[in-house]
Every structure is written in C-alpha cells, then in structure tokens.
C-alpha cells in the first residue's frame, strides 16, 4: 500500500500485480499457520462450547476443542477448510488490493495538503474494495465454513472436496445457497473500513516518530501497526461474523430445516437464547488468532511487496515518462515547429560560447573527481 506520508502516483499494472501477488501469498502463509484456531473459532460461532469435563472453564476452551477435534477427526480435522481458505484468498486479495489502490488513486486528487487521504476517503476506498471482494469470493467462504463444521454433524452427508461442495450447494440450494450470509458479509465491510484507515494512520504516526518514510518502516513497526488495527476492528465488528457463520452453515443440515429465516431472525434468536455473549462466541479465540495472523499477513505483505517492486520490470509507459539513471532520455520523434528550431540554435550557440570560456579539464581517476564534488 502506498504510504500516506509520501507523494502518490496512480497505480500502474506493475503496482497492482505486485499488490495482488504479495497479498495472496501473505494471506496463504497466515491462513496455514492459524488454521486450527480458525476451525475452533468457526465451530464456537456455530455450535457454542464443546461438551467436555472442562468445557466450563474459559481458559480451557481452546485446549478442550483441540482435544475434541483430534479425538474424533484426527490431525486432519484441525485443517478442515484450509484448501478453500487459500483458494478464496487468491482472488480475495487480488480483487481487494486492485480495487483499493484504484479507488485511492481516484480519491487522492482531492487529498489534503500533506498528500494524505482523509480518514473518510480512506474508509470509502476500503469499503468499496471490501464490497467487491465479498461479492466475488462469498461462495468459497460458504464452502470453507461448511467443511470446517461438518465434522460435528454425523447426520449430514459430508462434502468430499471443494468442487463437490460447490456442485452440491448449487444443485440443492441454488445460487441463494452460494450467497448465504452475503448480507452480514457486506455488513462486515465495516471491519476493513475500520482496519485499513487505522493501519495507515498508525503507520504514518510511527514513521514520523522514527523519522523515516512509511514504506521504509521496520518489520517490528509494521507488526505493531497491523496487530493494533486488526484487534480494534475485530472487537468492534465481531457480531456480524457470528451471524454470517450461522447463516452459511445451516443449509448443510437439511434434516433439521432452516433454523434462521434471515439476518434479522438470526439476530433475534441469538439474542433471545444466548443474550449479548452469544454474539461474541469464539471472540477470545478469534483475538488469539487475530494477532499472529495480522502480524504474519501484513508484515509478509509489506516485505514481499517491496521486494516485488524492486524485481518486477517497469511498465513501458512508466519507463518512458522517467529518465534513465544516467539522466539521459531517449529523444522521442515528433513534429518540430519553427520555435523549436530557434531554441535549438540558441542552445547550441550558448554551449559553444561556454566551451570557449571554460578551459578543458584533464580527467583524472574517479577518486579525484569524487573528492572534488
């Protein structure tokens, strides 16, 4: 992401490509690392606390859940839904960063005098990118949720693979099934609308504090900015994740029928049966997962994006607009008028006069030249 505190240029194809590759790779690394915690979080959202002798102790929820998964489903159970998660992350980050950078470019022309986007405009860019991403990748998140929770329902026919799940959902529930939970997902735009402006501002603050540029912040500084912004956004917007997970999961258990008629009905029933704590089921697990996930994702993203910006070739249009390192620009063929010819004549005459006045200096070795300047 472009730093707030520096001059902004409209993203080129090369920039967008670097953002997409770095974002998808970083997201895949983080998803693999925290997948067991993500499985537990999703199951707590949908089914509540696991049944066990220590399930009443808050501190043992994660351990009890892991033991329950290992006992009933084996090691593989801790990584259920990882394939659709990674598969969804590729278009997820590609779409998100493409739209986010494009919107920032469109909005930046009206930025403030410090060449920073205002918080409001940054929220608009983040929300627009979040909406495009949610609409594009929702079917894959539905599959991911169901693969993670189907091990807890012995009375359902399990999905064998991602493609099998997509085919069955389309056949049994139609397009509506693929987009179940889309409304709370769109409501979840508030998450990125809080997270990304906070992330940008924290980075800008830390860059000023360290007297450096935003794009040159050290990995520990990026880690602090990413974790603080992610935790802040997660706590403020967590209830929508509970509603989304329950709506996405219920279509698989067709014997019980539709437990929730929609978003409003789901909110009412969760509040009536479980009260306010029901909207924060799995929140503690989510926060434990959020910190390392955010640190890995954003730090990996920033470092990888900087690397790609160095190694990827420049766009043709971009390289023509900027001079080469030696300061010489290739002359472009163009129609020249009389005024241009007069200017060239005057320039040549002034150069000849300058050469006559200034005696030629014998060139010594490079060290001598460097020492004089």
């Amino acid at each position: 992401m472009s730093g707030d505190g520096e001059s902004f240029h409209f993203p080129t194809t090369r920039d967008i490509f670097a953002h997409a590759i770095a974002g998808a790779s970083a997201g895949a690394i983080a998803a693999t690392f925290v997948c067991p915690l993500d499985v537990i979080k999703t199951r707590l959202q949908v089914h509540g606390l696991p049944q066990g002798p220590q399930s009443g102790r808050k501190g043992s929820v994660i351990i009890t859940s892991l033991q329950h998964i290992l006992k009933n489903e084996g090691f593989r159970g801790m990584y259920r839904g990882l394939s659709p998660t990674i598969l969804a992350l590729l278009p997820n980050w590609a779409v998100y960063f493409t739209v986010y950078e494009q919107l920032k470019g469109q909005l930046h022309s009206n930025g403030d005098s410090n060449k920073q986007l205002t918080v409001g405009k940054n929220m608009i860019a983040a929300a627009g990118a979040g909406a495009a991403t949610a609409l594009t990748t929702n079917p894959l998140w539905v599959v991911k949720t169901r693969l993670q929770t189907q091990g807890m329902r012995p009375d359902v026919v399990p999905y064998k693979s991602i493609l099998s799940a997509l085919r069955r959902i389309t056949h049994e529930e139609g397009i509506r099934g693929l987009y179940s939970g889309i409304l709370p997902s769109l409501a979840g735009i508030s998450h990125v609308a809080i997270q990304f402006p906070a992330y940008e501002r924290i980075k800008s603050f830390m860059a000023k504090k360290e007297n450096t540029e935003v794009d040159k912040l050290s990995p520990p500084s990026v880690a602090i900015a990413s974790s603080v912004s992610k935790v802040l956004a997660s706590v403020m917007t967590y209830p929508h994740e509970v509603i989304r997970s329950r709506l996405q999961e219920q279509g698989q258990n067709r014997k019980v029928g539709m437990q929730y008629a929609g978003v409003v009905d789901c909110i009412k029933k969760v509040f009536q049966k479980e009260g306010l704590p029901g909207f924060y089921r799995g929140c503690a697990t989510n926060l434990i997962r959020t910190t390392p996930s955010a640190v890995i994702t954003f730090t990996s993203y920033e470092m990888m994006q900087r690397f790609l910006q160095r190694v990827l070739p420049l766009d043709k249009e971009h390289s023509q607009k900027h001079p080469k390192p030696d300061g010489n620009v290739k002359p472009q063929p163009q129609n020249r008028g009389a005024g241009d010819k007069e200017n060239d004549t005057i320039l040549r005459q002034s150069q000849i006069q300058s050469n006559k006045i200034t005696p030629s200096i014998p060139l010594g070795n490079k060290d001598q030249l460097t020492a004089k300047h």
Side-chain angles (χ1 to χ4, degrees):
M1 286 167 288
S2 302
D4 278 345
E6 57 188 34
S7 60
F8 185 89
H9 66 276
F10 198 81
T12 62
T13 304
R14 172 177 171 269
D15 295 330
I16 293 170
F17 195 59
H19 288 308
I21 294 176
S25 302
I29 294 169
T32 303
F33 185 78
V34 301
C35 187
L37 289 173
D38 190 41
V39 172
I40 294 171
K41 180 209 72 171
T42 303
R43 294 187 178 192
L44 288 174
Q45 288 176 343
V46 175
H47 300 292
L49 294 172
Q51 299 299 319
Q54 296 180 328
S55 60
R57 299 182 190 175
K58 293 183 179 179
S60 66
V61 169
I62 297 175
I63 296 174
T64 303
S65 299
L66 284 173
Q67 289 175 340
H68 187 269
I69 293 172
L70 286 170
K71 181 181 177 180
N72 294 282
E73 304 168 54
F75 184 78
R76 189 176 179 180
M78 294 196 300
Y79 285 89
R80 288 196 181 279
L82 179 60
S83 296
T85 298
I86 293 177
L87 184 62
L89 281 171
L90 299 177
N92 186 88
W93 286 112
V95 171
Y96 188 90
F97 280 111
T98 299
V99 178
Y100 182 62
E101 293 297 326
Q102 292 289 337
L103 288 176
K104 281 178 70 178
Q106 294 289 344
L107 294 169
H108 205 278
S109 59
N110 296 321
D112 61 32
S113 58
N114 293 326
K115 296 183 179 179
Q116 291 181 337
L117 276 181
T118 62
V119 174
K121 289 180 179 178
N122 216 323
M123 291 178 72
I124 291 172
T133 303
L135 292 170
T136 304
T137 62
N138 194 80
L140 290 172
W141 295 119
V142 172
V143 172
K144 171 248 184 189
T145 300
R146 294 191 181 184
L147 286 175
Q148 287 182 337
T149 58
Q150 68 180 3
M152 302 183 72
R153 292 188 181 278
D155 55 339
V156 302
V157 179
Y159 299 123
K160 296 179 181 179
S161 65
I162 298 171
L163 290 176
S164 169
L166 288 171
R167 281 196 296 263
R168 277 184 52 190
I169 293 171
T170 304
H171 177 71
E172 295 171 5
E173 305 168 51
I175 298 298
R176 185 174 181 178
L178 294 173
Y179 280 89
S180 55
I182 187 63
L183 288 180
S185 291
L186 291 173
I189 292 170
S190 58
H191 183 101
V192 292
I194 294 170
Q195 179 189 0
F196 274 76
Y199 177 65
E200 301 278 13
R201 291 292 164 173
I202 294 170
K203 283 202 306 179
S204 181
F205 170 77
M206 297 189 78
K208 289 178 183 177
K209 187 177 179 181
E210 297 177 11
N211 195 25
T212 186
E213 296 178 6
V214 172
D215 284 347
K216 294 181 180 178
L217 279 173
S218 62
S221 297
V222 174
I224 292 171
S226 59
S227 59
V228 171
S229 60
K230 183 67 175 180
V231 169
L232 177 66
S234 295
V235 171
M236 294 180 68
T237 63
Y238 188 78
H240 94 273
E241 293 190 33
V242 175
I243 303 302
R244 180 189 63 197
S245 293
R246 297 197 180 197
L247 290 173
Q248 288 178 344
E249 187 270 347
Q250 68 173 353
Q252 188 176 9
N253 191 14
R254 303 185 67 80
K255 293 181 181 179
V256 176
M258 302 299 280
Q259 188 178 358
Y260 307 111
V263 174
V264 176
D265 183 54
C266 184
I267 294 172
K268 286 181 179 178
K269 287 181 177 177
V270 171
F271 184 75
Q272 289 171 357
K273 293 180 180 180
E274 306 170 54
L276 189 61
F279 293 104
Y280 282 88
R281 294 288 185 202
C283 185
T285 305
N286 184 58
L287 289 177
I288 294 173
R289 182 186 66 91
T290 293
T291 303
S293 177
V295 169
I296 293 168
T297 301
F298 281 81
T299 306
S300 300
Y301 166 78
E302 293 284 358
M303 299 305 111
M304 199 173 299
Q305 194 263 344
R306 293 177 196 178
F307 171 75
L308 290 171
Q309 289 287 3
R310 290 197 302 268
V311 300
L312 288 178
L314 289 172
D315 291 349
K316 291 182 179 180
E317 294 180 3
H318 185 78
S319 60
Q320 287 174 358
K321 290 178 183 177
H322 297 277
K324 294 181 180 180
D326 60 1
N328 297 324
V329 183
K330 239 182 198 178
Q332 300 295 327
Q334 53 182 340
N335 295 327
R336 302 173 62 83
D340 292 328
K341 293 179 180 178
E342 290 176 4
N343 290 336
D344 288 347
T345 303
I346 294 171
L347 182 60
R348 281 196 295 272
Q349 288 175 353
S350 64
Q351 288 174 344
I352 293 169
Q353 291 174 358
S354 176
N355 290 336
K356 288 179 180 178
I357 295 171
T358 306
S360 59
I361 302 174
L363 294 178
N365 59 43
K366 292 182 180 179
D367 293 337
Q368 290 174 335
L369 288 174
T370 307
K372 289 180 180 179
H373 294 283

